[in-house]
Amino acid sequence: MTRKITNKPGKYSGSGQGKEERINLEVEVGADQITGIKPLDKYAPDSLNDSAFKKMAQKILDHQSVDVDVVSGASETSRGIIEGVKEALGKADVDLNALKENSAQTSSTAKKTIDVDVAVVGAGAAGAAAALAARQHGASVALLEKTISPLGAGTFAGGMFAADSQQQKDQDKVVSKRWLYEEYMDASQGYMNSLLVRRIIDESGKTVDWLNENGAIMKLVDAGTGGSFDHIGMPATLHGYQEGGTKAITKLIEQFKSVGGQMYFGFAGKKLLTNSEGKVVGLVAQGDDQELQVNAKKVIITTGGFGGNPEMRKQYLGDVSTQGQVLQNTGDGLNMAWNAGTAHHINGSTHYFWQTFSDQDVADLVKLIGPNWMALTGLANFPNLRVNNRGQRYASESHVLDFAVHGAELSEQPQQTEFVIWDQAALNKIKTGGTAAIEDHYGKWKDHNQFYMEFNFPTDTDDAIKREHEKMDFSSLLTKLESTNVVFIGKTIEELAEQMGVDKDNLQKSVDQYNEAKQKGEDDLFFSDTKRMVPVEEGPFYAVKFIARNLGTLGGATIDEKMHALNPAGEPVPNLYVAGADASGMYGKAYVDFEGGTLGFAYISGRLAGIDAAEMAKVDK
């Protein structure tokens, strides 16, 4: 029998802190249960916030409890919703103990079993490609994803590489496969599976063409159009998303469903099932209120690595590593594969790429200036002096826009932290002539527009040209942010060092050496291009603190060139495949230095795994 939870039935408002803003909601309370939860904010239909709110509201109503798990991929939004519901229940004087007792009477977990030829765990770029390719090759397929909507690294990437897509052939821009192979070799210094690398390169053009045929629209763009100044003039490898990564992967999943594929959002893979002979025969996945057993002839793991798992990062990468960009990538698939006999293969490969701010720093910036905080990232786009948290100049500034290289350099500094130094004279140039007065990055494309979408936002060279010529008063913006742990200002270098908390002698030495190199036209320390250096001479002086940006981990499970998972003896783990960021063999310690490498491997390896799994499942019949 249910207990009464309140003497004040009715509708009550509440609010909680979401990722970047407050979440406002209304809770309807009956005498013995919560009867409704609705948002007071407007969300775009089917957006992540819309889906997360619906999912969390339904969880709370189904469980009659605020003690529910957050939605994977929307944890901060979920916690904000819980906070808001708690506030509303407090206004209604709800007896939470009575609510808990009522909840215990209704709690249950259902179990379901399905049978398919191929099961794919993880619905990012690799998983969506694997599932669709397997289904198109005649297999019955189930695709499982622990989040409520597509949210892997492939959703915010800019595009993928290829050597010989139809677009490259049509535009006479086919890229030498030898050049691509040597780029991988140079990045890995030999720590790569050469057979795998060659196959991925060979299949790259076919995969781009296949993706376009199936709705993930990509267009060939020039190297360097995304802001990587150092890549200008390199072969055009990048096929950029034309509608953004989220829409591309969503379209692949819709195509998969339209041809009979089974999609299960909200189900996290927990363990692989094996028979007495050690062969993988399926998996168990867990939803909110349902356990799903998938009996499958073949299983493909594509769960995106472990960048969002601090314990695994510490175990495999060391004491200091910034969190991965995709928090829900917590190594689930790798642990499943390892437990089934797949060989561990982690050589420290992490996709460090450019720089960023910590979550706490972003929150502090947002409180003061709202979305305008994004303008600060523009101050990292030039070869200004950079020092670590000891005040030491630590690398050549000439390739700070070679995002992979600079990201790797920054990751090796104490606390993976750097300060970008500006003086007043340089900021005055921007105030009167825009950032192009420091360095023109996009003028090359003045009459040759390039467009694609990264982070689901347009990267448009016409817009970029306008933007870099817009006058901007960074001095005023930085002054507003002086109270944060991001911006530091000093009338002298000594005062700046004190504000930054770095050794004043080291900072002065770094400034002097940098300025001297600029003046004499030769950098004896790190051999920077002195023509591009930005002097640090006129006070006041400004420092902006950044940390390394970790897009995620790369590798963990040993595979062969057919994406078969391999055991420590080098033999295939029967019926198991691994693709995308969970798979080792494409990289050494560093990310490859051309555009579209990681997304390319995800889509190509996923597609190939799906094809092989489907064809081998036919043999098993």
Side-chain angles (χ1 to χ4, degrees):
M1 182 176 177
T2 57
R3 288 181 55 187
K4 190 174 186 179
I5 63 171
T6 183
N7 292 315
K8 298 165 55 180
K11 297 179 180 179
Y12 298 88
S13 63
S15 70
Q17 181 60 48
K19 186 173 184 178
E20 293 185 357
E21 57 190 4
R22 300 291 293 180
I23 296 170
N24 301 294
L25 51 81
E26 180 182 87
V27 178
E28 186 170 1
V29 182
D32 60 0
Q33 64 179 326
I34 304 171
T35 59
I37 303 171
K38 70 176 185 179
L40 297 179
D41 304 307
K42 291 185 178 181
Y43 301 125
D46 299 322
S47 65
L48 179 59
N49 284 340
D50 180 54
S51 298
F53 193 98
K54 290 176 181 176
K55 185 74 171 178
M56 282 302 296
Q58 196 60 52
K59 277 189 180 188
I60 294 169
L61 290 172
D62 289 346
H63 289 268
Q64 287 296 300
S65 172
V66 289
D67 296 323
V68 295
D69 293 333
V70 299
V71 172
S72 181
S75 56
E76 292 173 87
T77 300
S78 299
R79 283 189 281 269
I81 293 167
I82 291 172
E83 181 186 348
V85 171
K86 284 182 177 179
E87 181 181 293
L89 295 180
K91 293 178 180 179
D93 291 336
V94 167
D95 183 339
L96 295 180
N97 289 325
L99 184 65
K100 187 174 183 179
E101 287 184 26
N102 293 349
S103 172
Q105 297 176 34
T106 60
S107 297
S108 64
T109 300
K111 293 185 178 182
K112 180 181 179 179
T113 300
I114 62 172
D115 298 292
V116 294
D117 295 325
V118 178
V120 183
V121 186
L132 179 56
R135 182 72 194 110
Q136 290 178 338
H137 280 254
S140 58
V141 185
L143 175 58
L144 294 84
E145 169 57 49
K146 71 178 182 179
T147 63
I148 58 174
S149 62
L151 204 63
T155 62
F156 58 73
M160 68 169 283
F161 89 95
D164 54 357
S165 70
Q166 190 59 51
Q167 294 177 56
Q168 288 169 311
K169 293 175 183 177
D170 292 343
Q171 298 177 41
D172 196 24
K173 292 183 178 180
V174 170
V175 177
S176 163
K177 292 182 180 180
R178 177 173 181 169
W179 180 82
L180 288 166
Y181 180 80
E182 289 176 347
E183 286 292 304
Y184 275 108
M185 180 62 74
D186 183 60
S188 69
Q189 290 298 294
Y191 288 99
M192 69 183 194
N193 179 342
S194 299
L195 293 172
L196 173 65
V197 171
R198 280 299 287 117
R199 189 171 186 219
I200 293 299
I201 292 171
D202 283 344
E203 294 288 339
S204 59
K206 298 174 189 175
T207 302
V208 166
D209 296 343
W210 176 79
L211 288 167
N212 275 296
E213 290 167 4
N214 285 282
I217 307 303
M218 295 181 174
K219 182 179 178 181
L220 183 66
V221 295
D222 289 346
T225 54
S228 189
F229 185 77
D230 288 16
H231 287 172
I232 293 177
M234 288 175 63
T237 60
L238 184 66
H239 295 72
Y241 282 135
Q242 294 300 291
E243 299 176 305
T246 297
K247 194 162 187 178
I249 293 177
T250 298
K251 281 189 170 183
L252 293 178
I253 292 172
E254 290 302 316
Q255 177 73 354
F256 166 69
K257 290 161 60 179
S258 75
V259 294
Q262 302 175 52
M263 181 70 234
Y264 292 88
F265 280 116
F267 282 87
K270 293 300 180 183
K271 66 177 181 179
L272 291 171
L273 300 174
T274 56
N275 63 15
S276 59
E277 299 174 348
K279 295 181 178 180
V280 172
V281 293
L283 68 117
V284 174
Q286 184 64 53
D288 289 335
D289 299 303
Q290 186 179 69
E291 180 182 280
L292 181 65
Q293 178 172 320
V294 185
N295 298 323
K297 296 182 176 70
K298 309 292 175 184
V299 176
I300 305 173
I301 299 291
T302 61
T303 59
F306 58 91
N309 186 322
E311 290 79 18
M312 289 183 70
R313 290 203 314 274
K314 182 173 183 178
Q315 179 180 357
Y316 295 112
L317 303 178
D319 289 331
V320 180
S321 64
T322 50
Q323 70 180 19
Q325 194 88 23
V326 187
L327 298 182
Q328 75 269 17
N329 289 352
T330 53
D332 307 358
L334 282 173
N335 284 308
M336 292 168 66
W338 291 335
N339 290 336
T342 304
H344 288 62
H345 186 185
I346 296 178
N347 55 13
S349 183
T350 307
H351 193 173
Y352 286 111
F353 194 82
W354 206 40
Q355 60 273 309
T356 187
F357 303 114
S358 71
D359 288 345
Q360 183 57 57
D361 287 340
V362 170
D364 293 340
L365 295 172
V366 168
K367 287 179 183 177
L368 292 175
I369 59 173
N372 292 330
W373 70 270
M374 284 291 292
L376 279 186
T377 62
L379 292 177
N381 290 343
F382 304 91
N384 297 70
L385 171 64
R386 282 160 161 79
V387 299
N388 60 23
N389 65 8
R390 295 177 177 176
Q392 300 166 307
R393 183 182 179 219
Y394 69 87
S396 168
E397 297 82 7
S398 296
H399 50 65
V400 296
L401 290 180
D402 193 339
F403 300 136
V405 173
H406 180 61
E409 289 176 330
L410 177 52
S411 76
E412 293 297 307
Q413 296 309 303
Q415 297 299 307
Q416 300 189 329
T417 297
E418 72 172 0
F419 297 87
V420 179
I421 311 298
W422 285 82
D423 79 344
Q424 189 61 54
L427 294 184
N428 287 343
K429 286 184 178 180
I430 297 175
K431 187 175 181 179
T432 58
T435 59
I438 303 297
E439 193 168 70
D440 184 339
H441 291 162
Y442 297 96
K444 168 184 170 65
W445 294 286
K446 183 178 180 181
D447 299 312
H448 182 49
N449 178 254
Q450 303 286 296
F451 175 90
Y452 69 98
M453 295 186 72
E454 190 163 16
F455 291 96
N456 295 296
F457 288 99
T459 294
D460 186 316
T461 54
D462 286 350
D463 290 344
I465 290 170
K466 292 177 183 177
R467 191 165 56 248
E468 70 177 359
H469 285 86
E470 289 176 354
K471 300 174 184 179
M472 176 73 179
D473 184 2
F474 273 108
S475 300
S476 296
L477 179 66
L478 293 169
T479 300
K480 292 177 183 177
L481 300 172
E482 192 175 4
S483 62
T484 69
N485 193 38
V486 175
V487 175
F488 309 89
I489 304 174
K491 294 179 180 178
T492 64
I493 296 300
E494 180 177 349
E495 184 179 326
L496 180 64
E498 291 175 357
Q499 295 298 318
M500 294 163 60
V502 304
D503 185 282
K504 63 181 181 180
D505 293 331
N506 282 348
L507 183 60
Q508 187 65 64
K509 181 179 178 181
S510 295
V511 170
D512 291 344
Q513 190 276 325
Y514 180 90
N515 284 338
E516 182 182 349
K518 172 68 176 177
Q519 290 166 4
K520 73 177 186 178
E522 184 176 358
D523 177 19
D524 297 326
L525 184 58
F526 294 120
F527 316 107
S528 279
D529 180 353
T530 56
K531 295 183 180 67
R532 297 178 60 203
M533 286 178 155
V534 183
V536 184
E537 298 174 334
E538 181 183 320
F541 303 97
Y542 305 80
V544 182
K545 186 179 76 172
F546 293 91
I547 60 173
R549 179 165 169 252
N550 176 3
L551 294 186
T553 57
L554 300 171
T558 304
I559 65 168
D560 64 13
E561 70 276 13
K562 294 183 178 180
M563 316 313 137
H564 297 148
L566 302 181
N567 65 24
E571 297 297 327
V573 176
N575 304 327
L576 183 62
Y577 298 77
V578 182
D582 286 330
S584 293
M586 283 301 291
Y587 303 99
K589 190 174 176 64
Y591 176 65
V592 69
D593 187 29
F594 59 78
E595 297 174 348
T598 300
L599 187 67
F601 178 58
Y603 275 129
I604 300 164
S605 63
R607 171 177 161 264
L608 295 178
I611 292 171
D612 195 84
E615 295 300 325
M616 294 306 295
K618 294 175 185 176
V619 174
D620 289 350
K621 289 180 179 179

